[in-house]
Amino acid sequence: MTAPSHDGLRVAAGTSRLRFTGDVVALAAAERHALFDRSTSSDAAVRDRTRTIIERVRRDGDDALRALAVELDGVTLDDLEVPHARWEEALDRLPADLRRALERAAANIEAVHRAFLPETMETSPEPGIVIGRRADPLGSVGIYAPGGRAAYPSSVLMGAVPARVAGVGAVILCSPPNTPSGVPSDVVLAAAALARVDRVFAVGGAGAIAAMAYGTSTIPRVDRVIGPGNAYVAEAKLQVAGAVGIDAPAGPSELLVLADSAADPDVIARELLGQAEHDPLACALAVVFPAPGELAEDVEQAALALEGAIDALVGTQDRRAIIAESLSTRGGVLRAADRAEAVAFANAYAPEHLIVAAAEADAVLAEVRNAGTVFVGATSSNAFGDYMTGANHVLPTGGLARSYSGLSVLDFLRWTTYQRVSADAAARLAGDVAAIALAEGLPGHAAAALQWHPVPGRASA
């Protein structure tokens, strides 16, 4: 395969840029390993550099953050905190159409997450015993919003709005300072104002994660840190996870499309290219399987048509150099013999985003077990979920959808379990509890239980 051009200009049509093609079952061991080993762990240099930054922040606090701003961002900061008036000014400066779109996104996020707020639950396994579970909001949350080459106001909304819905006591935001302003981008500050964040700090990278995890003179320690970032941010979150809660470990973004052979190849191609433009390491993959009544040769033709559509569209994209590199590194169009084979692949791959573009989309949805979020039907574009449907776009990557879920209102709550035992129930429980306690060599536990036995100090026969 010819290596893609990286100058963003020479992208000839008709040449395959996809790393993975062919039948799912025919993947070589090395190809399968490359597809499925999407580990979020960074290389040794990133780990060591991140550890050094965290240690500096823990030791020197605000002084370390100011020094890092000079070293990494080229900015001298007089103040780490951005005054609230600057957020409101940024919101006022937003173009009307962008402000309307962000307000609509925030309203949808709030509506969806409010609908999923859990209720206090109680159950009674025996008469006189009541076990309850109550959701309590976290005291404080820190949100990280990337800066530098790109700003993501949507990520501010995805973190801050659910935190507010959950009732979190204090929500802070860290985002890198721009040059020469020394504050985060206007669109990030505007999103902070819309989401009713409490405080904003012009601090970025691993230093920001360390500051929120351990606290400094200016930046308060929080109970959970969430939000996307580069390799150093992701590594910092892993390294501070013993001191503070984090969202799922994050890596490059990924999309898997399960498309039947009747799906429109141009529609699927645009979804894949939209994913690939994120990052040279983004994963954009499709698996084509037979539509109802169609045969293996139809699947082969559909896969070829999809490859052709990708080739034809790559050169028209503004971010075509990034897209070409992503497709040549992590992209593919594969074929499955039937729906079951396609779904089995999806459950093993465990993608961050899964689009089901198929006539039997609801049947596929019922069979999917491992995905950060599922877009059901070709009209359910990944882009809609990224920005506007109200579902959260902070999702597990690197195959971690096998064990992690997407960010939700539950991430801003912790559960308090409580128990009530009546006097009659205590009397009935005492003997059996004492028997188990004595078997475990804990006579004090037995004595605590037996004080409620009808005959103190004696278990029933």
Side-chain angles (χ1 to χ4, degrees):
M1 182 170 59
T2 303
S5 169
H6 296 283
D7 61 8
L9 298 175
R10 299 187 303 276
V11 182
T15 56
S16 175
R17 298 169 182 80
L18 301 169
R19 179 173 179 182
F20 305 102
T21 57
D23 293 330
V24 165
V25 295
L27 285 169
E31 291 177 317
R32 191 169 181 86
H33 178 78
L35 272 171
F36 286 86
D37 185 15
R38 310 185 308 281
S39 172
T40 58
S41 62
S42 59
D43 62 35
V46 172
R47 285 196 300 273
D48 291 345
R49 176 64 173 145
T50 300
R51 186 176 297 109
T52 298
I53 290 172
I54 291 172
E55 289 171 354
R56 285 179 65 183
V57 173
R58 293 190 71 179
R59 183 183 65 244
D60 300 330
D62 289 349
D63 289 340
L65 295 175
R66 290 190 177 92
L68 288 166
V70 173
E71 295 169 22
L72 303 178
D73 302 308
V75 175
T76 299
L77 297 177
D78 294 326
D79 296 301
L80 299 180
E81 186 165 3
V82 182
H84 196 281
R86 292 290 292 269
W87 323 352
E88 296 298 337
E89 292 167 4
L91 183 59
D92 290 340
R93 285 194 295 268
L94 275 189
D97 58 342
L98 177 56
R99 176 167 181 166
R100 182 174 61 252
L102 289 174
E103 288 173 341
R104 182 181 182 184
N108 286 350
I109 295 166
E110 180 172 355
V112 168
H113 288 75
R114 191 170 298 283
F116 294 149
L117 275 170
E119 297 180 354
T120 298
M121 299 168 287
E122 291 188 352
T123 187
S124 181
E126 295 181 20
I129 301 175
V130 175
I131 308 299
R133 201 163 185 248
R134 184 190 72 213
D136 294 323
L138 298 180
S140 59
V141 167
I143 298 166
Y144 186 80
R149 290 179 297 177
Y152 297 97
S154 59
S155 293
V156 177
L157 300 182
M158 292 290 177
V161 173
R164 282 295 177 222
V165 169
V168 171
V171 180
I172 70 170
L173 173 71
C174 285
S175 190
N178 283 339
T179 307
S181 69
V183 298
S185 71
D186 265 11
V187 71
V188 164
L189 293 176
L194 285 174
R196 306 191 308 281
V197 167
D198 290 299
R199 301 175 72 184
V200 175
F201 301 94
V203 178
I209 304 303
M212 291 188 285
Y214 298 107
T216 72
S217 297
T218 301
I219 299 177
R221 180 178 183 175
V222 299
D223 299 325
R224 183 179 291 272
V225 176
I226 64 105
N230 62 17
Y232 293 93
V233 169
E235 177 62 29
K237 286 163 68 177
L238 290 174
Q239 291 191 20
V240 303
V244 67
I246 65 169
D247 49 4
S253 190
E254 45 193 55
L255 168 66
L256 173 63
V257 181
L258 296 187
D260 71 18
S261 51
D264 186 331
D266 284 338
V267 170
I268 306 308
R270 291 188 185 280
E271 293 291 347
L272 294 172
L273 297 182
Q275 183 65 28
E277 76 172 355
H278 269 291
D279 185 287
L281 295 179
C283 305
L285 190 67
V287 175
V288 183
F289 62 96
E294 295 202 339
L295 306 173
E297 49 265 37
D298 299 306
V299 172
E300 185 171 0
Q301 290 302 312
L304 289 172
L306 178 52
E307 291 181 44
I310 292 169
D311 282 347
L313 288 169
V314 169
T316 69
Q317 305 298 300
D318 288 343
R319 294 167 67 87
R320 53 190 173 272
I322 293 173
I323 292 169
E325 187 172 354
S326 169
L327 294 178
S328 69
T329 304
R330 300 274 184 100
V333 174
L334 299 172
R335 302 186 299 264
D338 53 31
R339 190 181 85 199
E341 189 172 277
V343 172
F345 178 90
N347 282 331
Y349 187 75
E352 177 189 20
H353 307 96
L354 175 63
I355 294 176
V356 183
E360 299 176 332
D362 285 325
V364 173
L365 173 64
E367 296 164 352
V368 168
R369 291 294 175 269
N370 300 329
T373 189
V374 184
F375 300 90
V376 186
T379 57
S380 302
S381 173
N382 187 9
F384 296 148
D386 275 348
Y387 297 115
M388 198 58 67
T389 64
N392 211 291
H393 77 197
V394 180
L395 302 164
T397 62
L400 288 174
R402 292 175 293 107
S403 49
Y404 284 87
S405 305
L407 193 73
S408 76
V409 70
L410 299 179
D411 289 284
F412 302 101
L413 302 166
R414 58 164 304 283
W415 291 94
T416 297
T417 300
Y418 57 88
Q419 309 178 41
R420 294 191 185 95
V421 179
S422 69
D424 288 344
R428 295 196 311 272
L429 293 175
D432 285 344
V433 168
I436 296 173
L438 291 172
E440 293 187 349
L442 298 172
H445 284 62
L450 288 173
Q451 66 182 324
W452 300 107
H453 195 271
V455 180
R458 286 178 48 195
S460 58

